[in-house]
Amino acid sequence: MPVYDDSPTGQAPEPAPTVDAKIVIAGGFGVGKTTLVKSVSEITPLTTEETLTSAGTEVDDLAGIEAKTATTVAMDFGRITLTTPRRQMVLYLYGTPGQERFLFTWDDLSYGAIGAVVLVDTRRLADAFVPVEFFEHRMPFVVAVNEFEGALYRYHPEEVRTALEIPPDVPVRACDARDRHSAAGVLEHLLMHALAVAEGRTHRRSLTATTALGART
Ligand SMILES: Nc1nc2c(ncn2[C@@H]2O[C@H](COP(=O)(O)OP(=O)(O)O)[C@@H](O)[C@H]2O)c(=O)[nH]1
Ligand SMILES: [Mg+2]
């Protein structure tokens, strides 16, 4: 069957450029960061999980996530390719360890990232203040409310925004970190947000975003 070709020269159109970008997946302990990286990654994700032992029971709050048996001690790493109208975006996902005692690793993990996802569990909302504050002055980010079934009440994303005093230009949305489609939707939303910030379509600016979004040739 003949294929209609509308390019002026009759040659195949140029393929969309491929752009690499680094994304950080952050949030408190047990919010579903490792789960999200695992559910969307198109490569076998690298995880650095260690078994939770009784030594951590005094400092790691497992309320609501009693089934959690392991914790990330260095980082998670995965990859997902998203296609936008103008580019193929290859996103490299870096998941942080959640406990505040690992906060010193976040600066290194975030270096060169174009944006971040801050995952939130509404049963432990206070854990989100530190990650939100961390990214607020560093890079564009979205807040994703991971919906655990055990939650007594489903909070509307706007209620979460109010509770955490998240600025109006930061997207807040619900997700299920276990669901590939839902988790990929969060990453798409972040990508659109980071591009909007980089192109000056929102008032928030980020030098990192504008420089990191150069095309890979
Ligand atoms: N019910 C439910 N469990 C989840 C969800 N996301 C993660 N989990 C579970 O919650 C626990 C903590 O998730 P994990 O990804 O290790 O959290 P992390 O500490 O943020 O990396 C694990 O046992 C997951 O299987 C979710 O959306 N719903
Ligand atoms: Mg983890």
Side-chain angles (χ1 to χ4, degrees):
M1 189 202 294
V3 178
Y4 176 70
D5 181 359
D6 65 353
S7 64
T9 59
Q11 292 165 344
E14 288 282 309
T18 298
V19 179
D20 295 330
K22 177 179 178 181
I23 301 286
V24 183
I25 312 296
F29 176 60
V31 289
K33 302 178 295 295
T34 301
T35 305
L36 184 143
V37 172
K38 282 182 179 168
S39 69
V40 295
S41 185
E42 62 203 14
I43 56 171
T44 305
L46 167 78
T47 58
T48 58
E49 292 200 287
E50 290 294 335
T51 306
L52 282 166
T53 65
S54 56
T57 48
E58 305 241 320
V59 280
D60 295 335
D61 178 10
L62 283 169
I65 46 166
E66 291 80 3
K68 188 171 170 66
T69 56
T71 186
T72 303
V73 291
M75 62 182 250
D76 304 311
F77 178 74
R79 189 190 76 196
I80 180 173
T81 305
L82 299 178
T83 304
T84 75
R86 284 189 286 159
R87 314 172 173 89
Q88 277 250 102
M89 297 289 308
V90 180
L91 303 184
Y92 292 96
L93 310 175
Y94 289 71
T96 66
Q99 293 97 325
E100 277 186 39
R101 62 179 178 277
F102 290 126
L103 201 58
F104 72 95
T105 65
W106 287 29
D107 258 324
D108 284 343
L109 273 178
S110 307
Y111 184 76
I114 64 155
V117 174
V118 174
L119 268 175
V120 169
D121 176 354
T122 54
R123 299 168 304 172
R124 303 136 64 90
L125 203 55
D127 291 358
F129 279 109
V130 168
V132 165
E133 205 178 331
F134 181 90
F135 289 104
E136 208 168 347
H137 303 292
R138 282 181 170 83
M139 63 184 68
F141 68 103
V142 299
V143 173
V145 183
N146 193 15
E147 296 189 322
F148 287 81
E149 299 91 357
L152 291 176
Y153 173 74
R154 277 272 141 87
Y155 289 87
H156 190 276
E158 288 310 310
E159 292 179 273
V160 174
R161 180 191 299 285
T162 305
L164 292 174
E165 296 174 1
I166 295 165
D169 60 317
V170 174
V172 183
R173 60 181 282 161
C175 79
D176 182 338
R178 298 163 303 175
D179 180 78
R180 180 181 161 77
H181 186 72
S182 172
V186 172
L187 296 171
E188 270 168 24
H189 201 152
L190 171 63
L191 185 56
M192 291 306 126
H193 178 58
L195 288 169
V197 172
E199 291 167 6
R201 284 186 275 120
T202 75
H203 72 266
R204 199 166 278 236
R205 297 193 170 274
S206 161
L207 280 178
T208 317
T210 41
T211 50
L213 280 171
R216 186 177 69 177
T217 46

